[in-house]
Amino acid sequence: MRILVTGGAGYIGSHTCVALIDAGHSVIVADNLCNSRVEVLDRMKEITGKDIPFYHIDVTDYVAVERVFVEHEMDGVIHFAGLKAVGESVEKPLFYYYNNLVSTMILAKACLHYGVNRFVFSSSATVYGDNEVPFVETMKLKPRMNPYGESKAMSEQILSDIARANPSFSVSLLRYFNPVGAHESGLIGEAPNGIPNNLMPYVTQVAAGKREKLRIFGDDYPTIDGTGVRDYIHVMDLAEGHVAALENLLEGVHIYNLGTGRGTSVLELVKAFEEANGVEIPFEVVERRAGDIAEFYADASKAEQELGWKAKRDLVAMCRDAWRFESSAGTLALSGTLGTVNVSHS
Ligand code: NAD
Ligand code: UDP
């Protein structure tokens, strides 16, 4: 298949391009580079040996998007392009709603117009809100409390309605849990500039001596050791989940959790990182972070049953690959040649 990957220069998009090419598909990337660097395209070429057509466009611009559809025959779209910083979304709701919703509508419009019938959307476990664990696709969603999460829930709704009204248009809504790690080459990965908001990039920067110590946000949650529990998933497993979703996409709307089904606490992750990489991560426990949920992880059984996909890389691989990127190519990223800039994800 030939797939348009919006946000393909970003963290998850770049790994997914590599996984698609590995699986024999071809990709076209559209990205405005608002949170990524063009050098990522060179790194993807280095890994795959393939030239990747790149459109430096904003996918909220219909005219620019239409040009891609006119110039390439495509079998599907994976829509990663979006803004993802929860805190920033509270400060700039219009910016977030506009970017995340308009891009989704414009791509859907172009797909319908040009007869592109497969659409895979980057959603998030954040749509579940503070629900019972494990999160199951059939759950009633709870309010998200921030425009970022709402924009994902609304995009899901918009795409579902469009698919219901257009039976040949198939949509896969992928709810990601916590992607971490990097491609095993160490050439692409998550490279925040500035102070990382998320746990794994913070840990790798402490390991590299760029930050003095990790601040653990609370150790009095009702969890195994009092620290927050998340379902960390290796970004290459997540990327391969997209390939499976595309290859097995049936007509209609299909929702899949992409997680491992296992919860890991902050302290467990820190210990795993220390053991995997032979480094020490000094930490202190501080106040809880506002808005944090104590614990969530996926029920990942639906994706396994229907897509034949399940995450296969363990926490050791996640920690090892995250550290390899940070300690090799990741260093380049911080000197400004590669990588995504700092935003928190959810
Ligand atoms: P990222 O910021 O690394 O990648 C997003 C890419 O989209 C960037 O390269 C950015 O430049 C591009 N982009 C943003 N708005 C654009 C626009 N209007 N036009 C063209 N390009 C645009 O983020 P990521 O972590 O790779 O996330 C990819 C998607 O997955 C996002 O939609 C995000 O909300 C979603 N998601 C991410 C996580 C996570 O933890 N990283 C979790 C759940 C969902
Ligand atoms: N966390 C932490 N210190 C940090 C960053 C995160 O203790 O510097 C904790 C956070 O409270 C949560 C877990 O690590 O329990 C994962 O946080 P992250 O921001 O990576 O993911 P999210 O909370 O968005 O799922």
Side-chain angles (χ1 to χ4, degrees), residues 91-103:
E91 285 154 30
K92 300 178 183 168
L94 178 58
F95 183 48
Y96 268 67
Y97 283 125
Y98 189 87
N99 195 71
N100 292 1
L101 297 181
V102 173
S103 61

Side-chain angles (χ1 to χ4, degrees), residues 11-12 31 35-36 58-59 80 84 99 148 152 345-346:
Y11 174 44
I12 306 171
D31 200 303
N35 198 37
S36 50
D58 193 306
V59 293
F80 290 103
K84 61 173 184 173
N99 195 71
Y148 168 75
K152 291 294 175 193
H345 60 66
S346 190

Side-chain angles (χ1 to χ4, degrees), residues 264-286:
T264 300
S265 75
V266 177
L267 285 172
E268 286 173 332
L269 186 139
V270 168
K271 188 159 176 279
F273 190 95
E274 291 181 329
E275 285 175 6
N277 298 313
V279 291
E280 206 189 321
I281 306 296
F283 67 82
E284 65 173 329
V285 176
V286 300

Side-chain angles (χ1 to χ4, degrees), residues 86 177-178 180 196-203 214-218 221 227-232 264-266 284 286 288-289 292-294 296 344-346:
V86 172
F177 283 70
N178 288 57
V180 294
N197 291 300
N198 297 113
L199 180 62
M200 184 65 96
Y202 205 104
V203 167
L214 172 68
R215 293 181 317 135
I216 295 182
F217 300 138
Y221 285 107
T227 63
V229 167
R230 297 291 182 270
D231 184 342
Y232 298 98
T264 300
S265 75
V266 177
E284 65 173 329
V286 300
R288 288 180 180 194
R289 184 170 64 177
D292 262 358
I293 292 175
F296 64 84
S344 91
H345 60 66
S346 190

